[in-house]
Amino acid sequence: MTMTQAEKEQDSGKEKEKERDKEKEKEQQRGVKRPIAPAAIPEPAQEQIQSNFVIVIHPGSRTLRIGRATDTLPVIIPHVIARRHKQGGQARYEDAWLLREGLNKAESSEQRQNGLKMVDQAIWSKKMSNGVRRTPVSAEQARAYNCQIRPAVLDSSSRVKWTNTSHHPNYLVGEEALYVNPSDCYNLHWPVVRGQLNVHSGSGGSLTAVLADLETLWSYVIQKHLEIPLKELKYYRCILLVPDIYNRQHVKEIVNMLLHNMGFSAIIVHQESVCATFGSGLSSACVVDVGDQKTSICCVEDGVSHRNSRLCLAYGGSDVTRIFFWLLQRAGFPYRDCQLTSRLDCQLLQHLKETFCHLDQDISGLQDHEFQTRFPEAPALLYQIRLGDEKLQAPMGLFYPSTFGIVGQKMTSLQHRSQGNSEDPHDEHYLLSTQSKGDQSSKSAAERKAVSRPGGGLDGELGCQGRMGEMSDMPRGCGSGSAAGGGMLGEMELGPTQGECLMGPGEAEEPLSTHLSRKTAIISQFESKALGLDKAILHSIDCCASDETKRKMYSSILVVGGGLMFHGAQEFLLHRIINKMPPSFRRLVDNVEVITRPKDMDPRLISWKGGAVLACLDTTQEMWIHQREWQRFGVRMLRERAAFVW
């Protein structure tokens, strides 16, 4: 008996349905998360991604690094944009570079002086390699010489010109923006400050304006430097590097801008610290990223950033530059017209810091140096300068941040739990609120019990959220089988929540509300303190759950970013870490290692390089968020696909 065509189709349909059910069952047994995107969105099963069609973007506060994943080096430009005034007579506005809030408070000067005393004490107490103590050099000794210096004219013209704006461009980017004549009708904006979008109440400070600046800046670089027409971005994918402690709203808006406005076909969002381990070829490390304006520290293990160990310090290389200028002035800096309000003077000071400063205790006494100034519409000048301890004192500000004289500002940030998002109703808050009452009461008891546990870390994770969030901290598709994932989860679950270690033992039966308000107060007090770099590293490692993980971190302290590229920095940091380590870990001293140039690479490019490595891995297939998915599901896709707890 022959089957009709319709019957055949019906039969094969039933078979396919059975196969699908079997697949579902298998996945459930394996504990695989079902994708939230329904079958209505057809995606190519496992398409081969060409790395030359992936653009890696690492947006820093001072520098933008952007390039194809196949490029040896990214395009590197100052992350700044100049926008032409819309009408004549408009007041000029310029984002500050080396100046910041909190420097002109009554206590700032006293705080700076006290910080400097601690720095001098530390310099004197550490012997040089020949066993002799350093002889301190006072600023007065150099001042007498520097005050009588007059510059020599090298050339009647500096051969440096202001950017030509005679054709009235609407905007200028990077180097061209830096060299816009202050008398021209342009506002200058740095869209990223201390790792976050530079949203402020001044001109061009709204979220919409800052995102428009980013879009214009990045689009310009992609067209001009990467030579990719914007209409072709629909064939390209993008990897965006974000800080370890990120602002969810900002990340969401940037992803929307890249997929919706600029038209990339897909995106992966990943954290700078994890990318730094990829870029340096390390499986685990305590990543110390010293940038221009912020320093972030985080322990990364097998591609997972431990949420409890994340710290962001609100200081970096530009604070060292500013304190170096203060020390230069005390020593009679011969370039008398230098102003922190002038962007070209700021550039010169950054250069002087990079040239002269060091962390080598064996370099002592007074030394003579020279430097040039080349400014538009001015002659090229050569200055002589005599310097002593200033070159060592300035970078030591990173270890004694009160030297920076910043008063009344939040100096330490911790990873706060998500406040929730109306577009993503089934987030961790939803999971918590739908837990059974029994689970919730046992969890609140565990919260209180955690107080008496020794060790641990701290965080802004307020509320009775327990540790469930960490379950999804395993990167999807990063080779973590369920067994390996289980082991990792066990480790993460063990550590007390961040904040507990600061609190000390509370009342045994303290009500949860009292416990949490006490925790909030202690955390906000902690966040107002400026931790020195070495103390922050020790704190971050101490927040890891197990001794085994801590041991791994001590043996692999990876320093990236451009803020600690001083001669002698590796030995200096190693010495301070070993001296301040908890006694229980002292026996591991042989294994403590500070890595400042893995594979002899430029530490400023390591995270970008890690993003490029990420693009080439087959295991990142499941992390791509496609444009159509974003349009349909929005921020839910970040929770579903990001390789970290969103």
Side-chain angles (χ1 to χ4, degrees):
M1 181 181 149
T2 55
M3 289 174 84
T4 64
Q5 186 62 31
E7 283 171 324
K8 276 182 186 171
E9 280 177 10
Q10 200 178 351
D11 240 35
S12 67
K14 279 179 186 170
E15 277 174 32
K16 278 181 186 168
E17 208 167 303
K18 275 181 188 170
E19 276 174 31
R20 270 203 299 271
D21 286 348
K22 274 184 189 171
E23 271 302 302
K24 269 187 192 173
E25 257 176 49
K26 275 184 191 170
E27 283 185 352
Q28 276 166 357
Q29 283 164 7
R30 291 202 307 267
V32 172
K33 237 182 180 180
R34 300 287 300 155
I36 62 164
I41 304 176
E43 284 301 341
Q46 284 284 310
E47 59 185 307
Q48 191 50 50
I49 294 164
Q50 292 173 285
S51 300
N52 57 327
F53 280 88
V54 177
I55 293 174
V56 181
I57 304 176
H58 185 193
S61 308
R62 198 55 45 199
T63 310
L64 170 67
R65 296 175 185 89
I66 183 169
R68 290 176 176 84
T70 47
D71 294 343
T72 315
L73 296 170
V75 172
I76 303 165
I77 66 157
H79 205 184
V80 64
I81 185 169
R83 285 201 181 272
R84 189 170 172 75
H85 291 173
K86 294 211 166 52
Q87 62 251 11
Q90 208 176 313
R92 275 191 68 259
Y93 175 85
E94 192 168 317
D95 282 336
W97 182 340
L98 294 181
L99 291 170
R100 58 183 289 174
E101 292 288 314
L103 295 175
N104 297 322
K105 298 282 194 295
E107 314 93 273
S108 293
S109 179
E110 188 188 344
Q111 196 167 299
R112 257 200 306 265
Q113 298 288 356
N114 289 341
L116 190 60
K117 277 181 195 157
M118 288 192 278
V119 165
D120 287 340
Q121 176 61 35
I123 290 173
W124 182 82
S125 64
K126 183 175 183 276
K127 291 178 181 172
M128 296 190 288
S129 55
N130 60 7
V132 178
R133 289 197 192 280
R134 284 172 59 99
T135 312
V137 181
S138 70
E140 283 67 40
Q141 289 171 268
R143 191 179 176 83
Y145 173 84
N146 291 332
C147 281
Q148 40 103 34
I149 289 291
R150 296 289 171 270
V153 178
L154 288 174
D155 196 330
S156 58
S157 162
S158 65
R159 293 189 167 73
V160 175
K161 290 187 166 55
W162 294 116
T163 301
N164 178 11
T165 56
S166 58
H167 56 301
H168 305 312
N170 283 331
Y171 63 86
L172 294 154
V173 161
E175 211 63 50
E176 285 187 331
L178 281 183
Y179 280 89
V180 165
N181 191 325
S183 63
D184 266 355
C185 312
Y186 284 85
N187 287 347
L188 217 79
H189 302 291
W190 299 89
V192 179
V193 66
R194 273 178 276 294
Q196 309 290 341
L197 293 186
N198 188 8
V199 177
H200 56 82
S201 56
S203 170
S206 69
L207 183 57
T208 312
V210 174
L211 288 163
D213 285 345
L214 279 186
E215 187 179 338
T216 306
L217 245 163
W218 297 357
S219 299
Y220 175 84
V221 178
I222 287 168
Q223 286 179 101
K224 174 96 189 295
H225 295 277
L226 302 183
E227 297 175 347
I228 300 168
L230 292 183
K231 63 177 185 293
E232 285 183 18
L233 285 184
K234 61 185 175 203
Y235 305 118
Y236 283 81
R237 292 165 179 246
C238 166
I239 290 183
L240 174 70
L241 273 61
V242 297
D244 307 319
I245 294 181
Y246 49 88
N247 180 312
R248 289 173 180 83
Q249 170 72 3
H250 291 182
V251 174
K252 179 194 128 184
E253 295 294 350
I254 295 171
V255 169
N256 193 58
M257 182 262 287
L258 287 163
L259 290 176
H260 187 259
N261 302 17
M262 290 177 72
F264 278 100
S265 67
I267 191 170
I268 284 178
V269 178
H270 217 328
Q271 292 165 304
E272 290 170 336
S273 61
V274 178
C275 289
T277 60
F278 291 153
S280 55
L282 297 168
S283 62
S284 301
C286 173
V287 180
V288 182
D289 183 350
V290 189
D292 183 77
Q293 299 181 8
K294 70 158 175 64
T295 298
S296 47
I297 300 159
C298 176
C299 294
V300 177
E301 195 174 16
D302 302 322
V304 180
S305 147
H306 285 288
R307 186 186 338 214
N308 279 10
S309 69
R310 291 177 210 160
L311 278 179
C312 182
L313 311 170
Y315 59 78
S318 60
D319 296 285
V320 174
T321 305
R322 194 182 58 255
I323 214 67
F324 186 48
F325 176 51
W326 175 61
L327 293 165
L328 287 174
Q329 285 180 307
R330 287 191 349 148
F333 191 40
Y335 168 37
R336 319 256 186 270
D337 298 332
C338 192
Q339 298 287 334
L340 289 178
T341 47
S342 154
R343 69 186 104 98
L344 297 190
D345 284 351
C346 288
Q347 214 173 2
L348 171 73
L349 289 168
Q350 292 270 51
H351 171 71
L352 294 183
K353 173 195 74 175
E354 288 163 14
T355 311
F356 297 152
C357 287
H358 63 84
L359 280 167
D360 185 345
Q361 300 256 158
D362 286 356
I363 300 173
S364 63
L366 288 165
Q367 275 108 28
D368 290 345
H369 302 277
E370 59 182 40
F371 66 92
Q372 297 179 15
T373 61
R374 290 181 179 272
F375 298 125
E377 298 171 1
L381 302 175
L382 177 71
Y383 288 88
Q384 305 294 324
I385 185 168
R386 184 169 288 175
L387 292 172
D389 287 346
E390 294 82 9
K391 299 174 294 182
L392 175 60
Q393 288 165 328
M396 280 185 71
L398 292 168
F399 299 88
Y400 298 94
S402 55
T403 316
F404 298 140
I406 304 159
V407 174
Q409 299 293 302
K410 182 174 168 179
M411 294 304 288
T412 306
S413 298
L414 305 156
Q415 183 71 62
H416 287 259
R417 185 67 84 178
S418 164
Q419 296 305 301
N421 188 309
S422 57
E423 289 175 37
D424 184 16
H426 298 101
D427 61 5
E428 47 196 324
H429 295 279
Y430 168 80
L431 293 172
L432 284 165
S433 61
T434 53
Q435 273 179 328
S436 72
K437 289 279 178 280
D439 274 7
Q440 286 183 357
S441 59
S442 64
K443 195 152 283 180
S444 63
E447 276 275 314
R448 284 194 291 268
K449 228 179 244 178
V451 183
S452 54
R453 265 188 256 169
L458 74 148
D459 169 302
E461 296 190 15
L462 312 176
C464 171
Q465 74 284 6
R467 316 299 309 132
M468 57 70 50
E470 301 303 83
M471 292 188 198
S472 41
D473 228 342
M474 295 306 296
R476 263 141 336 262
C478 280
S480 56
S482 55
M488 176 70 71
L489 176 66
E491 248 184 46
M492 290 176 158
E493 296 259 323
L494 287 173
T497 54
Q498 298 175 343
E500 306 295 9
C501 71
L502 291 183
M503 298 181 63
E507 290 297 313
E509 288 306 311
E510 183 181 34
L512 187 61
S513 56
T514 315
H515 170 85
L516 293 178
S517 58
R518 197 159 65 90
K519 185 172 174 180
T520 310
I522 287 169
I523 285 169
S524 68
Q525 187 190 354
F526 178 85
E527 288 189 328
S528 67
K529 283 182 182 163
L531 279 185
L533 185 58
D534 47 350
K535 286 183 181 167
I537 293 169
L538 291 164
H539 182 94
S540 176
I541 294 176
D542 193 45
C543 289
C544 293
S546 72
D547 282 0
E548 183 49 44
T549 305
K550 290 177 189 177
R551 205 168 281 128
K552 270 189 205 172
M553 297 307 149
Y554 277 121
S555 66
S556 183
I557 297 168
L558 173 66
V559 181
V560 297
L564 200 68
M565 290 175 66
F566 302 109
H567 171 68
Q570 184 181 8
E571 298 79 4
F572 187 89
L573 182 56
L574 181 64
H575 175 265
R576 288 190 72 92
I577 294 287
I578 288 172
N579 273 6
K580 288 191 162 70
M581 273 172 79
S584 55
F585 283 95
R586 282 279 158 79
R587 62 187 189 290
L588 307 174
V589 164
D590 304 347
N591 302 332
V592 179
E593 192 179 352
V594 172
I595 305 154
T596 50
R597 292 189 78 91
K599 303 178 182 170
D600 214 29
M601 281 166 62
D602 182 338
R604 292 168 294 191
L605 303 182
I606 288 171
S607 292
W608 181 88
K609 203 77 184 159
V613 168
L614 194 64
C616 308
L617 299 176
D618 293 338
T619 48
T620 56
Q621 287 279 1
E622 295 175 38
M623 289 157 64
W624 289 107
I625 297 170
H626 295 267
Q627 193 188 57
R628 291 191 302 279
E629 295 175 319
W630 182 261
Q631 283 165 354
R632 182 162 181 187
F633 299 105
V635 76
R636 278 185 281 169
M637 293 309 301
L638 279 165
R639 181 166 55 84
E640 182 68 19
R641 299 277 168 85
F644 50 91
V645 174
W646 173 248

